[in-house]
């Protein structure tokens, strides 16, 4: 997250005016010696580095300063030794009129830092204050006319041997081990909370808990405290951080695909102790690509079995007709669970989608039958088409030849068929009914409907690997539903509505009321009794007896059909811009109901397919 940049006030005027003009990166070699012990790679906890920046002091040598020199203190908060051979500091400083960047190489040889030990890096300063109590690295290099000094705001980055960055760094990529934004003018900092406070003449920005705290947030992890630099002679202060048994990482920092590929396969790895199963969630966090015209919105969960080290997920791509440069999809791994697993340093990655349009398109690609059918597989079933299905539906439209009226009817019927298909009815429609049958209306849960991104995520999970007609599809679907229900019923929103202390009668009655009283008195009594005796579970009552109840399904069919016009065709919620409320959904639901669900006579599917908003997803 970036704050609006502000120019820091220049200090130490005898040095700063000229130093501020040094806009190029300056390399400085500082040689240090240490007893040689076997090197060990830095470990990570929850995606955070265990070798961190622990203190920053910026007023060295000024009138009233506690110390003559600025300094940066480093700390090994992990439980393994770390060799910082060829590591470096990157100082991005806010100076006027130009920013200053220093690249300070700390060592040219092995330098091993044991757990709980500190490292003190001495920077430039002035005549006032006490000398530092011994430093481990000296960047106040006498041959430089203007040794590196810290401004009152900026960014301090800690880099490994291959590290380098421009602009705002991303932790775990570009060799960035840790970085801290400090001061009111800082534009780059870890986390979403802002920069650490600006140090004073007597205070430094100090990492909490003696250096042990790491919330991936410059503001939350640092406070102002008395400047008290620690070095390699300071007694060890171990953090007792357990060594996590395994890490989830993207296989590469960047993946590439052409938009004509139809899909991109993203590989996630698990390393370390794989003796227990574990899961990790993935999602899109941003990027320059559009989830309407460039790829299909996605998020989900990867489930690693015991011993499993590699899994993939797909991003479905749209081969639109818009000429554009390569666009990015930013991806995130988060919420690891099971087996002590955590996310590693490469918990973020980018997919670059390369354009294949070299001139203005003669027509909108959605008018192509094959493109039209393929996109429906993406938008409704969350998968690439199987060859037989693609051929069948495309052939049905093409059988009309040049008859425009016939082609329009076939396109409408083909489109509606995806909603009415067994595959969607048992995946997307099931997700819709589970929400409607169980979750009360709230400010954030309008009409008890699933929100767009929730629906996309959950439908993808229920339908993962399912192709109706393929061998084993029903078994796969059942496994998916069972896992999804475990997750759905453990969510705080569901637990709040149906706390564990509800008895069987209360649970059944509450579900029945939420679903509009679809159970008969006899069904209600029988179901509560069976639940109490173990013949049913809470999950089977929710799914099979309420959400899949024939009367409840009948009531929800038209509502879900209309909702999917927005989720599927327009890739948004009914009250998202350009709409501001549910008036559009209500209009089409009333019209569809008035025609007894006949989408042809209601002209609903036709209206969405011909809408400018739908066609604009793929071209003009």
């Amino acid at each position: 997250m970036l704050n609006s940049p502000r120019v820091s006030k220049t200090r130490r005027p005898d040095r700063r005016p000229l130093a501020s003009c040094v806009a190029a990166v300056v390399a400085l070699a500082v040689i240090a010696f240490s007893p040689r012990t076997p090197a060990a790679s830095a470990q990570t906890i929850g995606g955070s580095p265990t070798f961190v920046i622990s203190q920053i002091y910026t007023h060295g040598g000024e009138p009233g300063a506690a110390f003559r020199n600025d300094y940066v203190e480093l700390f090994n908060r992990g439980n393994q030794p770390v060799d910082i051979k060829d590591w470096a500091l990157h100082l991005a400083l806010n100076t006027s009129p130009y920013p200053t960047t220093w690249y300070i190489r700390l060592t040219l040889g092995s330098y091993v830092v044991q757990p709980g030990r500190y490292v003190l890096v001495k920077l430039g300063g002035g005549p006032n204050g006490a000398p530092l109590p011994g430093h481990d690295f000296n960047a106040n290099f006498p041959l430089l006319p203007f040794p590196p000094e810290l401004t009152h705001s900026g960014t301090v980055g800690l880099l490994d041997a291959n590290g380098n960055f421009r602009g705002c760094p991303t932790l775990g990529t570009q060799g960035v081990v840790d970085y801290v934004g400090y001061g009111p003018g800082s534009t780059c900092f870890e986390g979403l909370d802002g920069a650490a406070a600006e140090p004073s003449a007597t205070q430094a920005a100090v990492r909490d808990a003696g250096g042990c705290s790491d919330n991936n947030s410059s503001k939350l992890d640092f406070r102002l405290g008395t400047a008290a630099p620690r070095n390699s002679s300071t007694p060890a202060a171990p953090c007792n951080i357990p060594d996590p048994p395994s890490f989830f990482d993207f296989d590469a920092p960047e993946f590439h695909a052409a938009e004509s590929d139809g899909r991109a396969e993203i590989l996630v790895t698990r390393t370390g102790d794989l003796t227990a199963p574990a899961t990790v969630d993935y999602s899109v966090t941003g990027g320059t690509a559009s989830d309407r015209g460039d790829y299909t919105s996605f998020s989900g969960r990867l489930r690693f079995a015991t011993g499993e080290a590699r899994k993939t997920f797909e991003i479905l791509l749209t081969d639109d007709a818009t000429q554009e440069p390569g666009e990015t999809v930013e991806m995130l791994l988060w919420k690891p669970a099971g087996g002590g697993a955590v996310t590693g340093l490469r918990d973020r990655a980018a997919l670059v989608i390369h354009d294949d349009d070299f001139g203005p398109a003669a027509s909108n690609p959605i008018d192509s039958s094959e493109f039209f059918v393929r996109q429906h597989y993406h938008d409704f079933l969350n998968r690439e088409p199987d060859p037989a299905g693609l051929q069948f539906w495309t052939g049905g439209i093409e059988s009309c030849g040049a008859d425009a009226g016939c082609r329009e009817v076939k396109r409408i019927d083909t489109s509606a068929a995806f909603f009415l298909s067994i595959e969607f009815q048992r995946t997307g429609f099931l997700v819709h009914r589970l929400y409607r049958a169980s979750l009360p209306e709230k400010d954030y849960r309008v009409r008890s409907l699933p929100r767009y991104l929730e629906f996309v995520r959950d439908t993808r999970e229920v339908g993962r690997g399912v192709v109706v007609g393929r061998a084993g599809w029903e078994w796969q679907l059942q496994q998916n539903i069972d896992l999804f229900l475990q997750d759905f019923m453990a969510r705080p929103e569901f637990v709040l509505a149906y706390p564990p202390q509800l008895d069987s009668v209360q649970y059944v009655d509450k579900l029945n009321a939420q679903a509009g009283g679809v159970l008969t008195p006899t069904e209600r009594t029988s179901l509560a009794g069976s639940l109490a005796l173990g013949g049913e579970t809470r999950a089977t009552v929710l799914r099979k007896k309420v959400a899949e109840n024939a009367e409840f399904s009948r009531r929800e069919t038209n509502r879900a059909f209309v909702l999917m016009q927005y989720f599927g065709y327009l890739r948004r919620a009914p009250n998202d811009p350009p709409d501001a409320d549910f008036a559009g959904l209500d209009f089409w639901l009333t019209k569809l109901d008035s025609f007894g669900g006949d989408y042809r006579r209601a002209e609903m599917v036709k209206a969405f397919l011909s809408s400018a908003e739908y066609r604009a997803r793929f071209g003009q």
Side-chain angles (χ1 to χ4, degrees):
M1 177 177 178
L2 303 183
N3 285 345
S4 300
R6 293 191 294 171
V7 178
S8 295
K9 184 177 179 180
T10 303
R11 68 184 178 93
R12 283 172 276 195
D14 57 323
R15 295 182 179 182
R16 248 343 140 190
L18 181 56
S20 67
C21 297
V22 184
V25 173
V26 177
L28 173 64
V30 184
I31 302 176
F33 300 94
S34 172
R36 301 300 191 263
T37 59
S41 300
Q43 302 295 303
T44 61
I45 295 292
S48 306
T50 58
F51 198 85
V52 296
I53 298 162
S54 55
Q55 206 175 146
I56 298 171
Y57 180 65
T58 64
H59 286 254
E62 296 182 8
F67 295 98
R68 293 178 189 173
N69 291 85
D70 296 346
Y71 64 81
V72 173
E73 179 192 279
L74 310 175
F75 179 58
N76 183 358
R77 60 185 288 271
N79 60 1
Q80 297 291 325
V82 178
D83 189 346
I84 61 171
K85 176 183 178 181
D86 295 336
W87 284 27
L89 288 182
H90 180 115
L91 311 180
L93 309 176
N94 294 338
T95 53
S96 179
Y98 304 106
T100 305
T101 300
W102 292 89
Y103 181 83
I104 303 170
R105 179 73 71 186
L106 296 178
T107 70
L108 295 179
S110 180
Y111 189 95
V112 176
V113 183
Q114 298 297 325
R117 292 289 185 175
Y118 299 91
V119 173
L120 186 61
V121 181
K122 176 182 177 181
L123 301 175
N128 299 296
L132 291 177
H135 54 269
D136 299 296
F137 300 116
N138 183 11
N140 188 20
F141 203 69
L143 298 182
L144 284 179
F146 305 104
E149 300 171 0
L150 297 174
T151 49
H152 293 184
S153 70
T155 302
V156 177
L158 177 62
L159 311 179
D160 66 19
N162 301 311
N164 198 4
F165 67 84
R166 293 182 180 180
C168 291
T170 300
L171 190 65
T173 64
Q174 304 167 292
V176 180
V177 178
D178 190 24
Y179 73 99
V180 179
Y182 67 92
S186 176
T187 59
C188 296
F189 40 78
E190 264 197 82
L192 304 176
D193 309 288
E198 175 187 344
S200 69
T202 59
Q203 292 182 308
V206 182
R207 185 179 289 273
D208 279 339
C212 294
S213 172
D214 197 355
N215 297 295
N216 292 320
S217 169
S218 296
K219 186 171 184 178
L220 296 181
D221 284 321
F222 282 80
R223 57 177 174 78
L224 290 183
T226 301
R230 294 161 290 196
N231 57 26
S232 58
S233 298
T234 303
C239 299
N240 297 318
I241 298 174
D243 190 16
S246 66
F247 301 88
F248 288 119
D249 289 284
F250 285 105
D251 185 58
E254 194 170 88
F255 298 83
H256 294 263
E259 65 178 9
S260 58
D261 291 343
R263 65 186 183 91
E265 191 170 82
I266 308 300
L267 176 61
V268 176
T269 63
R270 184 184 177 200
T271 56
D273 185 353
L274 309 182
T275 57
T279 66
V280 66
D281 287 2
Y282 60 89
S283 61
V284 172
T285 61
T288 60
S290 165
D291 63 352
R292 294 186 181 182
D294 298 309
Y295 67 96
T296 301
S297 306
F298 77 99
S299 62
R301 175 168 294 171
L302 294 177
R303 303 177 185 273
F304 285 72
T306 298
E308 199 167 20
R310 298 160 61 90
K311 289 193 84 71
T312 61
F313 63 85
E314 290 183 350
I315 300 179
L316 301 175
L317 307 179
T318 302
D319 190 6
D320 64 21
T322 304
Q323 286 182 275
E324 53 201 357
E327 296 178 300
T328 59
V329 177
E330 302 293 335
M331 300 170 292
L332 172 69
L333 295 176
W334 62 293
K335 200 178 177 182
V342 297
T343 53
L345 288 178
R346 193 177 285 162
D347 59 350
R348 295 176 182 268
L351 167 66
V352 181
I353 304 173
H354 298 279
D355 188 48
D356 62 357
D357 301 301
F358 304 104
S363 62
N364 193 316
I366 200 62
D367 294 327
S368 160
S369 298
E370 183 172 326
F371 183 99
F372 177 80
V373 171
R374 182 183 298 276
Q375 195 60 43
H376 274 69
Y377 275 93
H378 288 195
D379 290 342
F380 284 80
L381 303 183
N382 293 290
R383 65 175 175 88
E384 270 282 90
D386 52 288
L390 180 63
Q391 181 180 10
F392 175 81
W393 293 111
T394 302
I397 299 173
E398 287 302 306
S399 67
C400 292
D403 186 335
C406 173
R407 295 178 73 87
E408 180 182 67
V409 170
K410 286 285 189 179
R411 283 166 66 92
I412 292 170
D413 286 349
T414 297
S415 185
F418 276 82
F419 172 81
L420 299 171
S421 68
I422 294 173
E423 190 165 327
F424 183 81
Q425 292 290 300
R426 296 183 64 175
T427 56
F429 187 34
L430 174 61
V431 169
H432 170 96
R433 285 176 288 172
L434 288 170
Y435 275 87
R436 287 278 295 165
S438 63
L439 299 183
E441 182 171 17
K442 302 284 186 182
D443 291 342
Y444 57 85
R445 174 77 56 214
V446 181
R447 305 185 184 189
S448 300
L449 292 170
R451 292 168 288 193
Y452 169 63
L453 290 178
E454 289 176 331
F455 180 84
V456 169
R457 174 197 64 201
D458 293 347
T459 301
R460 188 181 181 97
E461 287 302 292
V462 172
R464 183 180 301 280
V466 174
V467 178
V468 171
R470 181 179 292 174
W473 73 270
E474 290 182 293
W475 178 88
Q476 181 64 62
L477 178 62
Q478 185 61 53
Q479 298 302 305
N480 293 351
I481 293 174
D482 288 345
L483 290 171
F484 170 69
L485 281 172
Q486 289 178 21
D487 171 68
F488 183 80
M489 298 177 69
R491 294 175 187 175
E493 186 178 2
F494 188 92
V495 174
L496 181 64
Y498 305 92
Q501 59 266 31
L502 290 182
D503 63 29
S504 59
V505 173
Q506 292 170 324
Y507 179 73
V508 170
D509 282 350
K510 206 168 185 187
L511 276 178
N512 188 38
Q514 173 63 32
V518 296
L519 299 175
T520 67
T522 301
E523 288 172 333
R524 169 205 168 264
T525 302
S526 175
L527 193 55
S530 183
L531 178 60
L533 296 173
E536 299 281 357
T537 65
R538 281 190 163 203
T540 61
V541 170
L542 169 59
R543 175 196 168 189
K544 295 184 177 181
K545 304 303 182 181
V546 180
E548 293 182 343
N549 176 279
E551 175 59 20
F552 183 70
S553 297
R554 184 194 65 77
R555 294 180 188 178
E556 290 299 316
T557 295
N558 285 351
R559 190 189 316 274
F561 202 169
V562 177
L563 187 62
M564 274 308 299
Q565 308 301 290
Y566 290 91
F567 284 177
Y569 297 131
L570 306 186
R571 308 306 294 175
R572 64 173 176 86
N575 59 334
D576 283 344
D579 294 312
D581 52 33
F582 285 82
L585 183 146
D586 291 339
F587 169 82
W588 287 111
L589 181 55
T590 299
K591 192 169 184 182
L592 190 61
D593 284 343
S594 70
F595 285 100
D598 188 333
Y599 61 87
R600 299 183 189 89
R601 292 169 59 207
E603 297 191 320
M604 180 183 69
V605 174
K606 176 181 178 180
F608 277 86
L609 290 179
S610 61
S611 69
E613 186 175 356
Y614 178 64
R615 294 181 62 80
R617 287 179 56 194
F618 316 106
Q620 301 303 317

